[in-house]
Amino acid sequence: MHVRDQFRINYILSFEEITLKFISVSEQINRLLLEDDTALDNRSSEYQSIIKEFRAFLSDCKDVLDEATTMKLLESYGRVEELVYFASLKEQYEIVVHHYIQQGEAKNALEVLRKPAVPIDLQYKFAPDLIMLDAYETVESWMTTNNLNPRKLIPAMMRYSSEPHAKNETHEVIKYLEFCVHRLHNEDPGVHNLLLSLYAKQEDDSTLLRFLQCKFGKGRENGPEFFYDPKYALRLCLKEKRMRACVHIYSMMSMHEEAVALALQVDPELAMAEADKVEDDEELRKKLWLMVAKHVVEQEKGAKRENIRKAIAFLKETDGLLKIEDILPFFPDFALIDDFKEAICSSLEDYNKQIEQLKQEMNDATHGADNIRNDISALAQRYAVIDRDEDCGICRRKILTMGGDYRMARGYTSVGPMAPFYVFPCGHAFHAHCLIAHVTRSTNETQAEYILDLQKQLTLLGSESRKDSNGVLTDDSITSMPPTDKLRSQLDDAVASECPFCGDLMIREISLPFIAPEEAHQVSSWEIKPLNLANQRSFSLPA
């Protein structure tokens, strides 16, 4: 009787009956193993047939069999493979993966983890065991798995990295981290810090330097150019004695003095390159070059004349930033000045050229000042000719109208019998009170109030001067004249800085409406009213 026939389930059977039959078949399988030692190796044996029938039974009855009891029975009889098979049927993937890891079958475990139905958390749970079991297959699986968070794999990667590896062995963790950083554009600081720490432990620091110089966030608005922690990177590189990397990190953190000081311990050429990076601070740049110069002078152990020649040659590399007098304090006091003769003469020639250039600049400045004074004098004597028939540009009356013909502008004194007026270089002329009224009306409210306030102050000062003097100037009236002149100058600047018809005031008036808000009542007078034809009479014209 076959196993499947023996175990055709009748749902009327009780749980105890099913369990007893299950036990009987398990005993039958174990008895075959005891009776036939070659059963495991002979796939055509009765054992293989029973195993096949038994797995078919498990598959057919997976929804009926109690999960916990079935697994306990399989475990008690040592049927591990059938236990794993049943766990797969019941989607107990953790048991399956754990079994494969115990058997050293990393590929099978990874295949299970790659199934869509398997929770992603199992990837992180078994990552430490899998990467230690087979690093290559594990990393390859990680690189082909979507939605994997590299940060949660860091503990597994750190465990693998702590183990010793051969020099020529491909570091699988570095390979995966480089994949995350360069291909997936991962921005997690933990990922970048771990990759940096692994680079720092390598014998060759070229990869570390390339990583530090790479700007992963370049081009992103308001974003960092790198995602590792520079302070952590500096501590790590100092610990691992990666001095060139430390110089780069100091420079990146704008700690230029520390960068140059450390670079001088590694390579003077590197120190010069670091000193030359500072472009926007001339004083700091000179200070850094002086640090390099002092090191160059103090480190030379050859003959004194040879040292001096090397120091002079160094000055040429600074592109004129340092001069001979800057580095002289670094030499011993008993050094002969003859050794510096050529450099000193060259420096004196440079100073002579600078002095001549300054003299020329001073002469140019003096000549310019004289021209300005002449222009001021000419401006004070400048005049304009007014035709006696010249009209005011605003009121259209004659400019040379007698002062008594109408009210004078407040704050102004008539010149003889004439009212005060303004004449502009463009040829336009205006009565003072007309110009003030026009500018006040056309400008903004703040400027208009300022002009009216100046007028008011001028009027008050003028009336007080007349009351005090009574035709005779007093000490008080003399002291009050300067404030009046100052106010009149301010008023001139406010209303007559430019011609109102040719300057910005006219340009701004282009955007103003033809009818001002205060003239709205005049709009109705321009309306065309329809004629009343009923009241009109028609007349016939004689032929």
Side-chain angles (χ1 to χ4, degrees):
M1 182 176 62
H2 293 289
V3 178
R4 178 172 290 186
D5 295 333
Q6 183 178 356
F7 279 97
R8 291 191 183 278
I9 291 182
N10 188 341
Y11 289 99
I12 301 176
L13 295 177
S14 65
F15 170 77
E16 290 79 5
E17 292 174 315
I18 295 174
T19 304
L20 289 173
K21 291 185 178 182
F22 187 89
I23 294 173
S24 65
V25 172
S26 297
E27 291 176 345
Q28 183 182 357
I29 294 173
N30 288 339
R31 185 165 52 253
L32 286 172
L33 286 174
L34 292 174
E35 294 175 353
D36 187 3
D37 295 336
T38 62
L40 290 173
D41 300 327
N42 188 1
R43 295 185 177 275
S44 61
S45 66
E46 184 180 358
Y47 170 78
Q48 297 294 339
S49 177
I50 293 176
I51 291 296
K52 184 177 180 181
E53 291 289 338
F54 183 52
R55 290 194 176 190
F57 161 75
L58 292 176
S59 178
D60 293 341
C61 305
K62 64 177 182 178
D63 297 328
V64 178
L65 296 173
D66 181 74
E67 182 178 322
T69 304
T70 302
M71 289 186 176
K72 186 174 182 181
L73 286 170
L74 290 171
E75 183 180 3
S76 65
Y77 279 90
R79 307 309 305 166
V80 178
E81 293 184 359
E82 283 69 36
L83 174 62
V84 172
Y85 177 76
F86 183 70
S88 299
L89 294 175
K90 300 298 290 184
E91 297 183 352
Q92 293 292 334
Y93 299 111
E94 186 172 350
I95 296 175
V96 179
V97 174
H98 183 71
H99 166 73
Y100 284 137
I101 291 176
Q102 284 186 329
Q103 297 298 316
E105 301 175 5
K107 286 187 178 181
N108 292 334
L110 292 168
E111 287 179 3
V112 174
L113 291 174
R114 279 198 294 266
K115 292 182 178 180
V118 179
I120 195 69
D121 290 339
L122 292 183
Q123 287 273 13
Y124 309 129
K125 182 175 182 178
F126 291 106
D129 295 327
L130 286 170
I131 197 170
M132 297 303 295
L133 185 61
D134 192 333
Y136 174 79
E137 292 293 340
T138 302
V139 168
E140 290 295 322
S141 176
W142 288 351
M143 292 169 63
T144 57
T145 303
N146 296 326
N147 303 323
L148 203 60
N149 186 357
R151 184 180 183 86
K152 295 185 178 180
L153 298 173
I154 289 179
M157 291 188 284
M158 292 184 67
R159 178 182 175 185
Y160 171 81
S161 302
S162 64
E163 297 293 328
H165 298 87
K167 292 183 178 180
N168 298 328
E169 179 185 357
T170 302
H171 202 295
E172 297 298 330
V173 168
I174 291 180
K175 182 175 75 173
Y176 177 67
L177 291 174
E178 289 176 342
F179 172 79
C180 294
V181 170
H182 298 290
R183 296 286 297 278
L184 301 182
H185 304 290
N186 186 281
E187 300 178 0
D188 194 305
V191 173
H192 285 252
N193 287 340
L194 179 57
L195 181 56
L196 187 146
S197 67
L198 296 178
Y199 283 150
K201 294 177 182 178
Q202 293 180 333
E203 291 185 0
D204 185 9
D205 63 353
S206 58
T207 309
L208 173 62
L209 290 172
R210 285 197 300 270
F211 177 78
L212 292 173
Q213 293 168 1
C214 187
K215 298 179 180 179
F216 297 100
K218 185 177 181 180
R220 301 189 181 188
E221 187 175 357
N222 299 326
E225 293 185 346
F226 52 87
F227 300 103
Y228 57 85
D229 184 356
K231 294 181 180 179
Y232 167 77
L234 181 60
R235 290 195 303 270
L236 182 65
C237 293
L238 287 172
K239 178 182 177 183
E240 300 293 336
K241 300 188 185 309
R242 303 301 180 190
M243 296 309 174
R244 288 183 178 272
C246 293
V247 170
H248 176 80
I249 297 172
Y250 274 132
S251 178
M252 183 182 61
M253 298 171 66
S254 298
M255 301 173 67
H256 299 289
E257 293 186 42
E258 290 81 356
V260 171
L262 184 59
L264 288 173
Q265 302 176 22
V266 181
D267 183 5
E269 294 293 333
L270 178 61
M272 294 179 191
E274 289 298 323
D276 220 25
K277 287 182 179 180
V278 180
E279 298 179 352
D280 55 349
D281 191 339
E282 194 71 15
E283 183 178 353
L284 175 60
R285 185 164 176 262
K286 184 175 181 179
K287 183 177 181 180
L288 297 177
W289 274 106
L290 282 173
M291 292 172 61
V292 179
K294 183 178 181 180
H295 177 84
V296 170
V297 173
E298 292 178 350
Q299 292 299 314
E300 292 297 337
K301 302 299 182 181
K304 295 179 180 178
R305 293 181 180 274
E306 183 66 21
N307 294 351
I308 293 173
R309 280 196 292 269
K310 290 184 178 181
I312 301 304
F314 171 79
L315 288 178
K316 297 179 180 179
E317 297 183 17
T318 65
D319 295 329
L321 183 65
L322 298 184
K323 299 185 180 300
I324 185 62
E325 60 269 25
D326 295 322
I327 66 172
L328 280 177
F330 303 145
F331 287 93
D333 296 336
F334 52 81
L336 294 176
I337 196 172
D338 294 345
D339 299 329
F340 301 97
K341 180 179 179 180
E342 182 179 352
I344 292 175
C345 291
S346 176
S347 179
L348 291 175
E349 290 177 1
D350 292 338
Y351 279 122
N352 286 334
K353 291 179 181 178
Q354 293 179 14
I355 291 173
E356 293 298 326
Q357 184 178 359
L358 289 174
K359 286 183 178 179
Q360 183 62 38
E361 291 177 358
M362 291 175 62
N363 291 334
D364 294 341
T366 303
H367 182 69
D370 292 339
N371 291 336
I372 292 173
R373 282 193 290 269
N374 295 333
D375 291 342
I376 293 174
S377 300
L379 188 63
Q381 303 298 323
R382 189 176 59 176
Y383 61 90
V385 178
I386 299 295
D387 190 80
R388 65 178 182 176
D389 296 328
E390 184 75 25
D391 294 335
C392 172
I394 297 175
C395 69
R396 313 310 299 175
R397 295 184 180 181
K398 304 298 182 186
I399 284 293
L400 302 181
T401 303
M402 300 300 289
D405 288 352
Y406 50 86
R407 181 174 57 86
M408 295 289 180
R410 290 192 298 173
Y412 283 87
T413 304
S414 62
V415 182
M418 293 184 297
F421 58 88
Y422 287 94
V423 180
F424 293 90
C426 60
H428 290 117
F430 306 93
H431 291 120
H433 78 284
C434 294
L435 179 63
I436 293 172
H438 177 74
V439 173
T440 305
R441 183 171 58 253
S442 303
T443 191
N444 57 68
E445 183 177 354
T446 302
Q447 184 69 5
E449 291 179 354
Y450 173 68
I451 294 173
L452 294 175
D453 182 63
L454 291 175
Q455 268 195 298
K456 183 177 180 181
Q457 294 183 52
L458 280 170
T459 302
L460 292 175
L461 288 175
S463 61
E464 290 176 1
S465 176
R466 287 191 296 271
K467 289 179 181 178
D468 293 340
S469 62
N470 290 324
V472 181
L473 290 176
T474 62
D475 293 340
D476 293 338
S477 64
I478 292 175
T479 58
S480 66
M481 289 299 290
T484 305
D485 293 341
K486 182 178 179 181
L487 289 172
R488 184 172 291 112
S489 176
Q490 292 176 353
L491 182 60
D492 289 342
D493 293 339
V495 299
S497 60
E498 60 181 4
C499 175
F501 287 178
C502 303
D504 293 338
L505 191 64
M506 178 59 70
I507 296 175
R508 289 196 296 269
E509 287 185 354
I510 296 176
S511 60
L512 299 177
F514 287 108
I515 300 176
E518 60 271 12
E519 299 173 341
H521 63 280
Q522 299 183 7
V523 175
S524 58
S525 64
W526 289 88
E527 292 181 356
I528 301 177
K529 299 179 180 179
L531 297 176
N532 190 354
L533 299 178
N535 296 329
Q536 291 184 354
R537 296 180 180 179
S538 60
F539 297 92
S540 59
L541 297 176

